Amino acid sequence: MHNHDDSQALLSSKEALHLAKWDEARLEELLSEMHGSELGELLLSCRKDSERQTLIEYIPDELLGDALLELPEGMQEDMLADFNSSEVEDVVEHLDSDDAADILQAVDKGVADEVIERLEPAERREIESLLYHDEESAGGMMQAELFKVRQDWSVEKVLQVLRRFGKEIENLNYVYVVDSDDLLVGVISLHALLFSEADVVVSQLAKADFPRALAGQDQEDVAHIFEKYDVLALPVVDEQGVLIGRITADDVIDVIQEEATEDMYRLAALSDDDDLAEPVGVTARRRGVWLAVNLLTAIAASVVIAQFEATIAQVVALAVLMPIVASMGGIAGTQTLTVIVRGIALGRVTFDNARRTLIKEVSVGLVSGVSFAVVIGTIASFWFPELGIRLGWIIAAAMLLNLFAAALAGAMIPLTLKRLNIDPALASGTILTTVTDVVGFFSFLGLATLFLI
Amino acid sequence: MHNHDDSQALLSSKEALHLAKWDEARLEELLSEMHGSELGELLLSCRKDSERQTLIEYIPDELLGDALLELPEGMQEDMLADFNSSEVEDVVEHLDSDDAADILQAVDKGVADEVIERLEPAERREIESLLYHDEESAGGMMQAELFKVRQDWSVEKVLQVLRRFGKEIENLNYVYVVDSDDLLVGVISLHALLFSEADVVVSQLAKADFPRALAGQDQEDVAHIFEKYDVLALPVVDEQGVLIGRITADDVIDVIQEEATEDMYRLAALSDDDDLAEPVGVTARRRGVWLAVNLLTAIAASVVIAQFEATIAQVVALAVLMPIVASMGGIAGTQTLTVIVRGIALGRVTFDNARRTLIKEVSVGLVSGVSFAVVIGTIASFWFPELGIRLGWIIAAAMLLNLFAAALAGAMIPLTLKRLNIDPALASGTILTTVTDVVGFFSFLGLATLFLI
């Protein structure tokens, strides 16, 4: 961040990306002084892929990996598609193992294999082990770089070894203590080590109850452990308890943002890959899939209305009022749905307390239902006095029914999806509004057909 | 986490909270072996405030603060309302300054003042400085505990002082280097210190360009800095550049979750304080406010429909089809809205690229609009053949208009709110569906009145 002003100019100036305007040497110098994430922003702000590709040629290898990792997955893959295996190698060799694995997952399988083959045996084993795990698991998040020591070493020996070999490990905060089979015995924070006498054996200092993640655990669970125990890094073990990696808090921050975006997008009928930077056609197609699903459900609701055409023809006021019942159900249901989906993501709603949560939400639905039934009943009676108080009773009953259905559906849909091991946010919103529209129109028009005409 | 099985039994057993069943001494022992966050979960799982209060009496002081901090704010305040100043003091003295400040903000002003008065002068200054800052700013997040050294010290001296005074500081990863006026000169990671020669002066090791947060910066900005630079702690400085505190990554994880929940809740017409654990009446009241707002906007849409009663009376098919136009607009608008709100939160949508984003969203709206206009026009023509192809053209035009309006509103509403310094998520959803309902009904019924009858 030297020459900060120039870098800022490059980042914010609208002319910045007419790369031809820049002196080549000056541009390379400027880019080399920027942070990987700033370079990522710069790449993102390019309007065309061709601009991005030109820019990439000027970014030094040691920063290119970090810059590429800032890009949304689709764009990352597009950029990397033009790289041959030796170019990928140049990028990968400057990265920590977890980031290297992410890049290798984004390139063609053939290219990745060539790169891996040329790695040194130790590095190769590390990368292969990382690639083996699911991207969204603790194993997929972890990095292989960590500092582990044998349990029978003294503090003095640990510090000696640390001074010799620890230098390359970024964010080294904890020393991991293992036994002769590499089983994780415990964890010592770096500063606890500093405050100890030189001749103490490390197994005495190691915290055996320090939290750990299993390689197969979902990344959301990993985030919960971090939140719960306020640690800055977590050791990852395999099923036997063998230490195989560590996850640092800064990686978890990215995961949490990602998971929150995913839930928000899914609740709003967006695909996870929807991205601001992608072309209009791609976005329109992605969103179109969900709009098409919604069209089908909207037509289903219209089919319900069509059953009551004769009723509406006699009392047009029903057509005026019916969207109110449906709309209130939609909003109330979305409230419940959102609370439950977020509660599941944060670990606050579990199968243990699901029944209690369901009862609460349905109770809230009944309380709101009664309240808004009174309000809308009164309004409708005054709005259409020629239809008398009977219209008020009918719309009140429909409102109560729909708010009850909304709460029930809002709670049951995500809990059921979760039980079926499907993401509780996925398609929840669409199913929910189908329920509230159908129940809303059917109950209101049905009751009107029975009691009004 | 010794006796892990017993603790688990306490946490998960449905009988666990019949506290009377437990032997008092055994219960106290079990509780004292649990982690603060586990105790928080236990408190949350109580069904009644009275159970919670009984349980609190058994929790040892050194864990009680951490447990209380896990509770949602409203419940936290309820629990603390019964504490007198010496009880609060017992809790606070076991906490880091940032957590202590949070507890003091949750108790009565009078009680807090009494506690603060009794603190030692140094601690008192720390706490008062933390309380002075806005809770959602860097100053409100930071803790005063950190390890700072003068720039002219040698590595040897720093390590000596660290061994004497650093022990109490949790998660100590960075040493902060200041000048004689306490201005932050730079940052050294603990392990960089370990790898240096004893006689090097620390100003030579300090990274001057290490990122820092300004006390007044919003917590969302702080989270961005962490995401961008992948650090584990950030120094906080005042306007003069004086080092006044630090923020660790584990606190940022909590903030990110909080901000994501807030945005999700606001998009779903929920208040930030909505909580699973609060009583039905409270939740019904909170949500009722938003439902009432929605009722008003739904009535506004109905007033629009009412203008076309005569048209609907002649062609009832219009009542059948009109919810489709409104519903598609609502979903498409929500897609755009969500992408923009999340983009603003993640720093991807800024005023600099707002125009480009707006153009893209409106273009997507037009592409979807044309596509779904063709689809719905065709369906409508086949569904109501007696009305001929004219109905198809009318609903197609209304669909195109409404998807265009949805994209425009979905992008403009959050950007405008942001420009007015209002949270872009707040009330966005309600304003949006009002727009799409009104435009949807008005354009469809209006065009039908002009061209169909």
Side-chain angles (χ1 to χ4, degrees):
Chain A
M1 286 195 290
H2 312 279
N3 280 309
H4 192 257
D5 290 343
D6 270 348
S7 310
Q8 276 308 314
L10 192 60
L11 263 174
S12 64
S13 148
K14 285 181 183 147
E15 309 213 27
L17 294 163
H18 296 283
L19 293 171
K21 285 195 181 172
W22 290 82
D23 170 58
E24 284 204 14
R26 181 83 195 94
L27 183 62
E28 270 184 35
E29 192 196 327
L30 259 183
L31 293 175
S32 71
E33 281 160 359
M34 287 168 78
H35 190 277
S37 61
E38 288 166 344
L39 291 169
E41 277 175 30
L42 198 57
L43 284 174
L44 258 179
S45 69
C46 292
R47 273 153 216 246
K48 289 185 213 130
D49 274 1
S50 60
E51 275 184 354
R52 257 184 285 273
Q53 265 140 358
T54 315
L55 191 58
I56 279 178
E57 286 166 30
Y58 291 102
I59 298 178
D61 286 339
E62 60 270 28
L63 291 171
L64 187 51
D66 286 330
L68 289 172
L69 286 166
E70 293 288 316
L71 301 180
E73 261 175 52
M75 196 187 288
Q76 202 182 89
E77 283 167 22
D78 287 349
M79 294 296 108
L80 283 164
D82 303 331
F83 281 47
N84 64 35
S85 64
S86 82
E87 285 166 335
V88 172
E89 204 183 340
D90 291 340
V91 171
V92 162
E93 69 178 7
H94 293 99
L95 293 173
D96 279 342
S97 54
D98 52 341
D99 294 335
D102 288 344
I103 292 283
L104 289 173
Q105 256 152 350
V107 301
D108 280 343
K109 181 92 181 62
V111 174
D113 288 343
E114 276 178 56
V115 175
I116 292 169
E117 231 156 79
R118 267 181 269 157
L119 291 173
E120 285 168 37
E123 277 180 46
R124 187 176 158 168
R125 262 199 310 278
E126 272 179 19
I127 292 278
E128 280 177 339
S129 134
L130 295 181
L131 288 175
Y132 164 80
H133 292 102
D134 180 357
E135 247 187 294
E136 307 218 325
S137 71
M141 291 170 74
M142 72 185 182
Q143 57 180 118
E145 292 84 0
L146 52 74
F147 187 70
K148 66 179 177 191
V149 300
R150 289 280 295 277
Q151 58 181 342
D152 50 1
W153 289 7
S154 67
V155 167
E156 192 178 8
K157 177 161 183 190
V158 169
L159 286 175
Q160 267 171 18
V161 177
L162 186 62
R163 288 209 175 87
R164 270 184 59 194
F165 299 106
K167 207 157 188 172
E168 283 152 36
I169 303 175
E170 249 188 292
N171 288 334
L172 193 161
N173 304 291
Y174 300 102
V175 171
Y176 301 99
V177 182
V178 294
D179 70 8
S180 54
D181 292 325
D182 255 3
L183 291 176
L184 180 65
V185 172
V187 178
I188 314 178
S189 70
L190 196 53
H191 77 285
L193 205 65
L194 286 178
F195 301 130
S196 305
E197 300 299 321
D199 56 351
V200 174
V201 174
V202 288
S203 62
Q204 284 182 272
L205 295 174
K207 275 194 186 176
D209 62 357
F210 195 93
R212 54 181 71 185
L214 270 167
Q217 258 181 314
D218 187 79
Q219 59 179 8
E220 224 168 47
D221 293 336
V222 174
H224 290 162
I225 302 180
F226 271 91
E227 277 178 81
K228 200 162 158 179
Y229 295 104
D230 291 347
V231 293
L232 294 180
L234 212 57
V236 180
V237 296
D238 68 11
E239 280 131 48
Q240 281 75 45
V242 172
L243 177 67
I244 54 174
R246 67 166 180 152
I247 299 171
T248 52
D250 54 302
D251 294 326
V252 174
I253 290 180
D254 297 339
V255 164
I256 288 179
Q257 292 286 37
E258 220 176 82
E259 292 269 345
T261 302
E262 200 180 277
D263 281 353
M264 246 183 249
Y265 275 22
R266 290 183 173 177
L267 280 174
L270 283 164
S271 95
D272 302 350
D273 304 319
D274 200 293
D275 195 90
L276 291 161
E278 73 192 357
V280 171
V282 178
T283 302
R285 215 173 322 123
R286 284 195 209 286
R287 297 193 194 161
V289 175
W290 286 105
L291 285 172
V293 172
N294 184 65
L295 182 61
L296 290 179
T297 68
I299 289 175
S302 290
V303 169
V304 172
I305 300 173
Q307 308 315 306
F308 301 100
E309 268 188 75
T311 310
I312 296 172
Q314 278 184 268
V315 189
V316 181
L318 297 177
V320 174
L321 293 175
M322 68 184 186
I324 297 177
V325 179
S327 157
M328 291 293 281
I331 298 286
T334 304
Q335 288 178 331
T336 296
L337 180 67
T338 304
V339 167
I340 306 274
V341 166
R342 189 65 182 150
I344 291 174
L346 295 178
R348 297 262 326 259
V349 174
T350 58
F351 290 126
D352 285 339
N353 65 19
R355 223 181 108 215
R356 213 208 300 182
T357 306
L358 182 66
I359 292 172
K360 183 193 156 179
E361 290 300 324
V362 170
S363 310
V364 171
L366 285 174
V367 171
S368 313
V370 170
S371 318
F372 285 98
V374 172
V375 174
I376 193 64
T378 310
I379 292 175
S381 305
F382 280 99
W383 192 349
F384 297 97
E386 69 279 12
L387 296 170
I389 201 164
R390 250 195 305 172
L391 176 69
W393 279 106
I394 288 167
I395 195 168
M399 180 71 87
L400 175 58
L401 270 171
N402 204 25
L403 291 191
F404 174 75
L408 195 65
M412 286 300 290
I413 294 166
L415 288 170
T416 308
L417 289 174
K418 174 84 181 161
R419 183 64 90 183
L420 299 173
N421 261 321
I422 301 171
D423 183 318
L426 195 64
S428 292
T430 312
I431 312 177
L432 175 83
T433 48
T434 309
V435 172
T436 52
D437 279 357
V438 168
V439 172
F441 293 136
F442 186 81
S443 58
F444 181 50
L445 298 174
L447 287 170
T449 306
L450 286 178
F451 298 111
L452 199 64
I453 58 173
Chain B
M1 286 196 290
H2 312 280
N3 279 306
H4 191 257
D5 290 343
D6 270 350
S7 309
Q8 277 307 316
L10 191 60
L11 262 174
S12 65
S13 148
K14 285 184 184 146
E15 308 215 28
L17 294 161
H18 297 283
L19 294 172
K21 286 196 179 169
W22 289 81
D23 169 59
E24 284 203 15
R26 181 84 194 96
L27 183 62
E28 269 183 38
E29 193 197 325
L30 258 183
L31 292 176
S32 71
E33 281 160 359
M34 287 168 77
H35 190 276
S37 61
E38 290 167 344
L39 291 169
E41 276 175 30
L42 198 58
L43 284 174
L44 259 179
S45 68
C46 293
R47 274 154 214 248
K48 287 187 214 134
D49 274 0
S50 60
E51 275 184 354
R52 257 186 284 273
Q53 265 139 1
T54 316
L55 190 59
I56 279 179
E57 285 165 31
Y58 291 101
I59 298 180
D61 287 338
E62 61 271 24
L63 291 172
L64 187 50
D66 285 331
L68 289 172
L69 285 167
E70 294 288 317
L71 301 180
E73 261 177 50
M75 196 188 286
Q76 200 181 90
E77 282 167 24
D78 287 350
M79 293 296 109
L80 283 164
D82 303 331
F83 281 47
N84 63 36
S85 63
S86 82
E87 285 165 337
V88 172
E89 205 183 338
D90 291 340
V91 171
V92 162
E93 68 177 8
H94 293 98
L95 293 173
D96 279 342
S97 54
D98 53 340
D99 293 335
D102 287 344
I103 292 283
L104 288 173
Q105 255 153 352
V107 301
D108 281 342
K109 179 94 182 63
V111 173
D113 288 343
E114 275 179 58
V115 175
I116 292 170
E117 232 158 77
R118 266 182 269 159
L119 291 173
E120 283 170 38
E123 278 181 45
R124 186 175 160 172
R125 260 198 313 278
E126 273 179 18
I127 291 278
E128 280 176 339
S129 132
L130 295 181
L131 288 174
Y132 163 81
H133 292 100
D134 180 357
E135 247 187 294
E136 308 217 325
S137 71
M141 291 170 75
M142 71 184 183
Q143 59 179 117
E145 291 85 0
L146 52 76
F147 187 69
K148 67 180 175 192
V149 300
R150 288 280 294 277
Q151 57 181 344
D152 50 0
W153 289 8
S154 68
V155 167
E156 191 179 10
K157 178 160 181 189
V158 169
L159 287 174
Q160 267 172 20
V161 176
L162 186 63
R163 289 210 174 86
R164 271 181 63 192
F165 297 107
K167 206 158 190 169
E168 284 152 34
I169 304 177
E170 248 187 292
N171 287 333
L172 193 161
N173 304 291
Y174 300 102
V175 172
Y176 299 100
V177 182
V178 293
D179 70 7
S180 53
D181 291 326
D182 254 3
L183 292 176
L184 180 64
V185 171
V187 177
I188 313 178
S189 71
L190 196 53
H191 78 283
L193 207 64
L194 285 178
F195 301 131
S196 305
E197 301 299 322
D199 55 353
V200 174
V201 175
V202 287
S203 62
Q204 285 183 272
L205 295 174
K207 275 195 186 174
D209 62 357
F210 196 91
R212 54 182 69 187
L214 271 167
Q217 258 181 313
D218 188 78
Q219 60 180 7
E220 224 167 48
D221 294 335
V222 174
H224 290 163
I225 302 179
F226 271 91
E227 277 178 82
K228 199 163 161 178
Y229 297 103
D230 292 348
V231 292
L232 294 179
L234 209 58
V236 181
V237 296
D238 67 11
E239 281 131 47
Q240 280 75 46
V242 172
L243 177 67
I244 55 174
R246 65 166 184 153
I247 300 170
T248 52
D250 55 303
D251 294 326
V252 175
I253 290 179
D254 297 339
V255 164
I256 288 179
Q257 291 286 35
E258 221 175 80
E259 292 270 343
T261 303
E262 201 180 276
D263 280 353
M264 244 182 251
Y265 276 23
R266 289 184 174 176
L267 280 174
L270 283 164
S271 95
D272 303 349
D273 304 319
D274 200 291
D275 196 90
L276 291 160
E278 71 191 359
V280 171
V282 178
T283 302
R285 216 173 320 123
R286 282 194 212 284
R287 297 192 194 164
V289 174
W290 285 104
L291 286 173
V293 172
N294 184 65
L295 181 61
L296 290 179
T297 68
I299 289 176
S302 290
V303 169
V304 171
I305 300 172
Q307 307 316 305
F308 301 98
E309 269 188 75
T311 309
I312 297 172
Q314 279 185 265
V315 188
V316 181
L318 297 176
V320 173
L321 293 175
M322 68 183 185
I324 297 177
V325 179
S327 157
M328 290 294 280
I331 298 286
T334 304
Q335 288 178 331
T336 296
L337 180 67
T338 304
V339 168
I340 306 274
V341 165
R342 189 63 182 151
I344 292 175
L346 295 178
R348 296 261 327 259
V349 174
T350 58
F351 290 126
D352 285 340
N353 64 19
R355 225 183 105 214
R356 212 206 304 181
T357 307
L358 182 66
I359 292 172
K360 181 193 158 180
E361 290 301 324
V362 170
S363 309
V364 172
L366 285 174
V367 173
S368 313
V370 171
S371 321
F372 285 99
V374 172
V375 175
I376 192 65
T378 312
I379 293 176
S381 304
F382 280 98
W383 193 348
F384 298 98
E386 67 279 13
L387 294 170
I389 201 165
R390 251 195 304 171
L391 177 69
W393 280 106
I394 288 167
I395 195 167
M399 180 72 86
L400 175 58
L401 270 172
N402 205 24
L403 290 191
F404 174 75
L408 195 65
M412 287 299 290
I413 294 167
L415 289 170
T416 309
L417 289 175
K418 174 80 180 163
R419 183 63 93 184
L420 299 172
N421 261 319
I422 300 170
D423 184 320
L426 193 67
S428 293
T430 312
I431 311 178
L432 176 82
T433 48
T434 309
V435 172
T436 52
D437 280 357
V438 167
V439 172
F441 293 137
F442 186 81
S443 58
F444 182 51
L445 297 175
L447 287 170
T449 306
L450 286 178
F451 298 109
L452 199 64
I453 58 174

